[in-house]
């Protein structure tokens, strides 16, 4: 696409920011692009996430149709990267289960059913095999499907390298106000996650505290969910698994809670007893604040003659939805340019 050369700033270098840089670079190769952030790679929230592409079932976009399109576009983006096996970008296809002990609605996911090629109900044999009298775990409902795990500890550095190799300027700087950049840039992408609440005076942004454990267990090659907040997600590249979790709305506490750790271990080992052996060795506990908004904000605003493209509020589904919301955001920019 050819167009007038413009100066563009992308603020934020988590999963939304780096995907925005890749997409703008692809569609507007003649733009003068700068990525600005105070945190990169391992410093970002994205780096600690388990990274399974699996959205929640509520309508997080302007409509159900647009929400589904975001999921489909993300799935297609990551699926295409699977073909580049020569590039270490941290993308792997993984199959697994969603289980429930109490509610059949928990194992339904209309978004994944529409894009995962093998989404099906779990068989009675599979439910029985994962139940345990000893652990007092009776699984009554389940579904099986194949999805994609995005390991951000590999994906973020890969994307940053790809971006910088294409003449994008990368600046480490903390932005206190988007107005700081107005006048200097024609277009600003706001991909600041939890800080968008302050930068935009957006009272709808609040943190959802999450805590997970990462432990070495290379024999685990499937993902598992049980009753929503218990999950086991493997990282193929290094043989670790992420065990979770919790969703604490409105909590700003970034300290490890030992009771949360105990609960995660108890629930995950009941679901997959072989983890007891893995947890006898060292493991890491990570806490992050997910940037939740009742509706993800992907829209354009004009401030002092500068086009602001907002893209934030993904909660715990930033990795799942990043390519989809980024494509939608750049489509909005395209309509403004036209």
């Amino acid at each position: 696409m050819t167009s007038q050369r413009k100066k563009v700033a992308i603020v934020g270098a988590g999963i939304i920011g780096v995907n925005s840089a890749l997409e703008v670079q692809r569609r507007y190769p003649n733009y003068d692009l700068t990525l600005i952030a105070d945190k990169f790679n391992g410093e970002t929230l994205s780096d600690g996430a388990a990274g399974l592409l699996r959205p929640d079932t509520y309508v997080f976009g302007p409509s159900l149709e647009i929400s589904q399109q975001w999921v489909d576009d993300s799935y297609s983006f990551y699926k295409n990267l699977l073909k580049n096996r020569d590039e270490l970008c941290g993308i792997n296809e993984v199959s697994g289960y969603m289980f429930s002990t109490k509610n059949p609605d928990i194992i339904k996911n209309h978004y994944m059913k529409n894009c995962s090629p093998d989404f099906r109900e779990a068989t009675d044999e599979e439910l029985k095999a994962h139940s345990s009298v000893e652990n007092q775990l009776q699984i009554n409902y389940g579904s099986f499907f194949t999805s994609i795990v995005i390991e951000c500890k590999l994906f973020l550095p890969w994307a940053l390298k790809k971006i910088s190799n294409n003449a994008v300027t990368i600046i480490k700087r903390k932005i206190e106000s988007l107005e700081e950049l107005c006048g200097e840039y024609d277009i600003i992408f706001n991909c600041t996650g939890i800080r968008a609440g302050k930068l935009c005076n957006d009272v709808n942004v609040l943190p959802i505290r999450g805590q997970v454990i990462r432990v070495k267990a290379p024999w685990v090659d499937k993902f598992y969910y049980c009753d929503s907040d218990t999950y086991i997600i493997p990282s193929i590249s290094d043989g670790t698994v992420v065990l979770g979790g919790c969703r604490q709305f409105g909590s700003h506490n970034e300290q490890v809670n030992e009771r949360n750790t105990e609960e995660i271990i108890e629930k995950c080992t009941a679901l997959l007893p072989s983890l007891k052996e893995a947890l006898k060795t060292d493991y890491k506990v990570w806490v992050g604040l997910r940037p939740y908004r009742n509706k993800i904000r992907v829209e354009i605003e004009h401030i002092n003659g500068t086009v602001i493209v907002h893209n934030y509020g993904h909660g715990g589904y930033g990795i799942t939805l990043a390519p989809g919301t980024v494509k939608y955001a750049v489509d909005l920019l395209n309509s403004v340019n036209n």
Side-chain angles (χ1 to χ4, degrees):
M1 178 182 291
T2 58
S3 56
Q4 176 187 349
R5 185 171 180 82
K6 293 183 179 179
K7 291 190 69 177
V8 180
I10 293 171
V11 185
I15 193 71
I16 311 298
V18 298
N19 270 288
S20 297
L22 290 170
E23 184 71 2
V24 172
Q25 204 171 54
R26 183 181 73 82
R27 289 167 65 174
Y28 295 96
N30 62 330
Y31 275 13
D32 183 358
L33 187 56
T34 301
L35 179 66
I36 304 170
D38 64 322
K39 295 179 180 178
F40 292 89
N41 295 331
E43 303 169 316
T44 67
L45 176 75
S46 303
D47 185 78
L52 178 70
L53 194 155
R54 189 203 73 109
D56 208 333
T57 55
Y58 68 95
V59 179
F60 36 74
S63 67
L64 176 60
E65 292 73 24
I66 291 173
S67 300
Q68 182 69 60
Q69 193 63 54
W70 289 352
V71 176
D72 293 347
D73 288 341
S74 292
Y75 192 89
S76 296
F77 173 85
Y78 292 129
K79 190 81 171 174
N80 286 335
L81 286 180
L82 279 170
K83 300 172 185 175
N84 299 328
R85 288 299 183 182
D86 55 325
E87 296 188 43
L88 193 61
C89 58
I91 310 291
N92 290 287
E93 205 163 44
V94 180
S95 299
Y97 297 94
M98 290 191 299
F99 290 132
S100 178
T101 60
K102 54 192 177 186
N103 189 338
D105 292 336
I106 288 174
I107 59 94
K108 297 174 183 176
N109 192 306
H110 49 91
Y111 293 122
M112 292 309 301
K113 188 175 182 180
N114 286 333
C115 67
S116 180
D118 58 357
F119 194 101
R120 62 170 174 80
E121 287 189 13
T123 64
D124 289 342
E125 290 77 12
E126 287 169 324
L127 298 180
K128 185 177 179 180
H130 291 91
S131 297
S132 169
V133 175
E134 179 185 350
N135 294 312
Q136 298 181 326
L137 181 67
Q138 176 62 50
I139 295 173
N140 296 307
Y141 312 99
S143 57
F144 173 93
F145 63 98
T146 298
S147 189
I148 298 166
V149 171
I150 301 92
E151 299 178 36
C152 275
K153 62 183 178 294
L154 295 175
F155 181 81
L156 292 179
W158 169 84
L160 279 174
K161 183 179 179 183
K162 194 174 180 69
I163 292 160
S164 60
N165 285 348
N166 285 292
V168 173
T169 303
I170 297 177
I171 298 173
K172 190 173 179 70
R173 170 184 168 189
K174 188 171 184 177
I175 301 299
E176 299 296 344
S177 167
L178 294 176
E179 283 84 349
E180 289 176 32
L181 304 175
C182 293
E184 186 179 351
Y185 295 94
D186 303 300
I187 302 163
I188 300 168
F189 281 79
N190 174 22
C191 310
T192 54
I194 197 71
R195 291 199 69 242
K198 179 182 177 183
L199 290 172
C200 302
N201 195 27
D202 188 342
V203 297
N204 290 311
V205 178
L206 78 159
I208 302 178
R209 181 185 176 277
Q211 181 169 314
V212 299
I213 297 169
R214 187 178 286 273
V215 65
K216 195 85 170 177
W219 59 88
V220 179
D221 60 359
K222 288 184 174 61
F223 65 81
Y224 300 88
Y225 274 81
C226 189
D227 292 330
S228 297
D229 284 336
T230 298
Y231 53 85
I232 301 164
I233 300 173
S235 294
I236 303 301
S237 68
D238 64 0
T240 62
V241 293
V242 174
L243 314 179
C246 60
R247 271 189 275 194
Q248 297 166 355
F249 280 77
S251 173
H252 292 264
N253 181 15
E254 296 184 72
Q255 301 303 309
V256 171
N257 181 301
E258 292 302 333
R259 180 60 189 144
N260 289 159
T261 301
E262 292 168 6
E263 289 170 348
I264 291 167
I265 290 174
E266 180 183 343
K267 291 178 180 178
C268 288
T269 55
L271 184 58
L272 201 63
S274 66
L275 289 171
K276 292 177 183 176
E277 193 65 31
L279 288 160
K280 291 177 181 177
T281 62
D282 289 340
Y283 56 82
K284 294 181 179 178
V285 183
W286 176 89
V287 176
L289 304 181
R290 307 158 177 140
Y292 174 78
R293 194 173 186 272
N294 53 346
K295 294 286 183 182
I296 298 172
R297 188 182 185 191
V298 189
E299 62 184 25
I300 285 178
E301 183 181 12
H302 293 83
I303 300 177
N304 300 332
T306 298
V307 176
I308 312 292
V309 185
H310 297 290
N311 192 353
Y312 65 84
H314 298 65
Y317 304 101
I319 294 172
T320 289
L321 299 171
T325 62
V326 164
K327 181 179 182 296
Y328 184 83
V330 179
D331 286 344
L332 290 179
L333 176 63
N334 189 43
S335 66
V336 170
N337 286 340
N338 290 338

